[in-house]
Amino acid sequence: MTLGRTDTHGPSLILVLNCGSSSIKFALFDTASDPPPRQPVWNGKVQGIGGEHPDFGETGVTPFVVSLDPAQPYRCALDLILRRVHARLGDGRLAAVVHRVVHGGSKYFAPVRIDAGVLEDLRGYIPLAPLHQPFALEAIDVLLRERPGLPQMACFDTAFHHTIPQVEQMLPLPYDAWERGLRRYGFHGLSYEYLSIALPERHGDQARGRVIAAHLGSGASLCAMRDLRSQATTMGFSALDGLMMGTRTGSLDPGAVLYLMEIERLSLEEVGRILYHESGLKGVSGISPDPRDLLAVEAREPRARLALALYVRRIVREIGALAAVLGGLDMLVFTAGIGEHSVELRRRICEALDWLGMALDPEANAAQATTLSTPGSAVRIAMEPTNEEWIAARHALDLLAPPSSQGQSIRPA
């Protein structure tokens, strides 16, 4: 296949893959312009991988249940996506596949073209992101073996936080831990990188001031930015750190972990399951990791009410801490699934922060406006839909070889 931004036989496209433990999201972007359009040509996802009823959804198609080989459900889901992409391409050509990879460790601070050596490096970071890293690497490995001529790139969630000062990166462990790579890396970097582009477009120079971005989804973190660069973040060495999440604890007294292992005699595997899969909103409520479910029953379920109160309290506490690091606050921005859609949780968070001089406009909040604060608010409150896939496609286009280079069809074997 001929690479390049145009092709006489049809458009040249970039495929973005975002692989999680139970889902694979995908999006196709046209390379005819640089940067590519922010709206993908086509996108979708396979979700519920490994469960009883996985389904597939795509642009213009109602999700439908699919059958995946229970022995290799993830591989089957990837094959399904590749077949659908091939069918969608028509006379188009695939220029590259770019992957969202959660962890780049202390070596990878920028998007990179993947070969066997890079893949081996990235496998070394699996213990730092066990919920996400293995699945992106499985997709990379399959494509490297089966379609070696197809360019693949990796974009790292940790890369955006490379600008935070050393005092923020360091953990208060013996210094040789720093030298071994135990440090605050930060995550959700593709989301925050998108905000660093979108916010000044919408809000002008105010976005270059003291900004806290709240990426609130099933995973959640905050990022303190100044001049559109990361200065501090709540999620540090691992995806367990910082805010309370859907099933993850967030920051936790390490003494509690020692107690579980030493006194209650839980194994390392059992503790890991609790911290990653049985805590957070789900663990406290005993009902669900989804705030929508808890909001629906909190009036009659005390534990749902408690879980939501703790969730909001942890966010408010960390926003206050990051505001102190920044020396004040000019803008608070909500993004990701909960941040973009939960009117009620935005209200509770902002009301608890009125001491900072922020005033939420109830009508703007209910209308899902992009500016949520009143004109007299000392802190601008904003909502900005994130676009991690576009950031990845943009980087892939930058890394692509010149138009004379050769690529490969993605036709399934």
Side-chain angles (χ1 to χ4, degrees), residues 5 14 16 29 31 34-36 96-100 109-113 152-157 159-160 189-194 196-197 387-401:
R5 299 180 188 178
I14 289 172
V16 180
F29 289 86
T31 67
D34 187 359
V97 178
V98 57
H99 304 263
R100 175 201 174 211
F109 305 124
V112 64
R113 190 155 173 167
Q152 292 192 79
M153 293 84 171
C155 293
F156 302 101
D157 256 354
F160 184 73
L190 296 183
S191 179
Y192 295 130
E193 184 177 356
Y194 178 75
S196 75
I197 296 171
N387 196 341
E388 296 165 300
E389 290 80 10
W390 178 74
I391 288 293
R394 188 169 178 257
H395 285 308
L397 188 55
D398 290 341
L399 287 171
L400 273 176

Side-chain angles (χ1 to χ4, degrees), residues 256-400:
V257 179
L258 294 176
Y259 181 90
L260 290 173
M261 298 182 75
E262 293 182 358
I263 306 302
E264 298 194 358
R265 301 295 183 184
L266 298 185
S267 68
L268 181 61
E269 181 180 356
E270 289 170 324
V271 170
R273 186 180 67 250
I274 289 170
L275 299 183
Y276 277 107
H277 302 290
E278 298 176 2
S279 298
L281 288 168
K282 178 182 178 182
V284 175
S285 71
I287 298 170
S288 171
D290 191 328
R292 294 171 297 184
D293 296 336
L294 304 185
L295 287 166
V297 301
E298 66 172 335
R300 63 178 185 274
E301 296 286 350
R303 283 177 57 185
R305 189 162 58 250
L306 177 61
L308 290 168
L310 181 57
Y311 181 79
V312 170
R313 175 63 64 92
R314 294 296 297 269
I315 293 169
V316 168
R317 178 194 290 262
E318 294 295 336
I319 288 174
L322 290 183
V325 168
L326 289 172
L329 186 60
D330 300 309
M331 182 181 293
L332 173 65
V333 185
F334 293 96
T335 194
I338 297 168
E340 293 172 23
H341 300 294
S342 182
V343 172
E344 178 60 19
L345 290 182
R346 289 198 303 253
R347 181 190 68 79
R348 295 182 189 186
I349 291 165
C350 291
E351 286 186 355
L353 292 166
D354 62 358
W355 59 274
L356 280 169
M358 66 173 65
L360 185 71
D361 182 331
E363 293 183 1
N365 188 38
Q368 303 284 31
T370 53
T371 297
L372 305 175
S373 48
T374 65
S377 179
V379 176
R380 180 171 294 188
I381 308 167
M383 185 277 288
E384 189 67 42
T386 192
N387 196 341
E388 296 165 300
E389 290 80 10
W390 178 74
I391 288 293
R394 188 169 178 257
H395 285 308
L397 188 55
D398 290 341
L399 287 171
L400 273 176

Side-chain angles (χ1 to χ4, degrees), residues 176-258:
D176 61 357
W178 163 265
E179 296 176 314
R180 298 195 307 273
L182 275 76
R183 62 191 64 185
R184 183 177 295 277
Y185 289 101
F187 299 93
H188 299 129
L190 296 183
S191 179
Y192 295 130
E193 184 177 356
Y194 178 75
L195 294 184
S196 75
I197 296 171
L199 291 178
E201 292 174 344
R202 195 182 300 278
H203 300 282
D205 286 343
Q206 189 164 9
R208 300 181 181 277
R210 300 165 298 182
V211 175
I212 293 176
H215 178 105
L216 305 179
S218 57
S221 69
L222 305 175
C223 178
M225 295 191 286
R226 184 185 288 113
D227 197 25
L228 308 176
R229 293 158 64 91
S230 178
Q231 303 297 312
T233 183
T234 55
M235 194 177 274
F237 176 71
S238 77
L240 283 172
D241 199 14
L243 305 180
M244 176 179 171
M245 294 168 253
T247 64
R248 285 172 265 173
T249 60
S251 296
L252 184 69
D253 183 344
V257 179
L258 294 176

Side-chain angles (χ1 to χ4, degrees), residues 27-258:
L28 277 173
F29 289 86
D30 194 339
T31 67
S33 61
D34 187 359
R38 296 190 189 186
Q39 185 67 28
V41 173
W42 176 67
N43 65 348
K45 63 181 176 180
V46 181
Q47 59 185 356
I49 301 171
E52 294 183 2
H53 304 291
D55 64 57
F56 177 91
E58 61 185 58
T59 305
V61 176
T62 302
F64 56 91
V65 174
V66 294
S67 177
L68 304 176
D69 182 353
Q72 291 184 306
Y74 207 87
R75 172 64 184 274
C76 288
L78 179 61
D79 286 344
L80 170 61
I81 289 171
L82 296 183
R83 289 195 300 271
R84 300 291 289 195
V85 168
H86 170 69
R88 180 75 184 194
L89 280 174
D91 64 351
R93 298 292 182 268
L94 196 67
V97 178
V98 57
H99 304 263
R100 175 201 174 211
V101 177
V102 168
H103 219 300
S106 56
K107 182 174 182 178
Y108 295 103
F109 305 124
V112 64
R113 190 155 173 167
I114 301 169
D115 57 22
V118 172
L119 177 59
E120 193 59 32
D121 285 344
L122 299 181
R123 286 194 173 113
Y125 304 131
I126 288 176
L128 305 183
L131 290 185
H132 301 90
Q133 197 87 348
F135 304 100
L137 302 190
E138 180 177 347
I140 291 168
D141 186 42
V142 167
L143 289 171
L144 277 178
R145 287 186 285 105
E146 297 188 358
R147 297 167 180 86
L150 178 65
Q152 292 192 79
M153 293 84 171
C155 293
F156 302 101
D157 256 354
T158 50
F160 184 73
H161 302 291
H162 186 52
T163 57
I164 66 177
Q166 185 178 6
V167 69
E168 281 288 340
Q169 293 183 48
M170 290 199 71
L171 302 175
L173 293 168
Y175 188 79
D176 61 357
W178 163 265
E179 296 176 314
R180 298 195 307 273
L182 275 76
R183 62 191 64 185
R184 183 177 295 277
Y185 289 101
F187 299 93
H188 299 129
L190 296 183
S191 179
Y192 295 130
E193 184 177 356
Y194 178 75
L195 294 184
S196 75
I197 296 171
L199 291 178
E201 292 174 344
R202 195 182 300 278
H203 300 282
D205 286 343
Q206 189 164 9
R208 300 181 181 277
R210 300 165 298 182
V211 175
I212 293 176
H215 178 105
L216 305 179
S218 57
S221 69
L222 305 175
C223 178
M225 295 191 286
R226 184 185 288 113
D227 197 25
L228 308 176
R229 293 158 64 91
S230 178
Q231 303 297 312
T233 183
T234 55
M235 194 177 274
F237 176 71
S238 77
L240 283 172
D241 199 14
L243 305 180
M244 176 179 171
M245 294 168 253
T247 64
R248 285 172 265 173
T249 60
S251 296
L252 184 69
D253 183 344
V257 179
L258 294 176

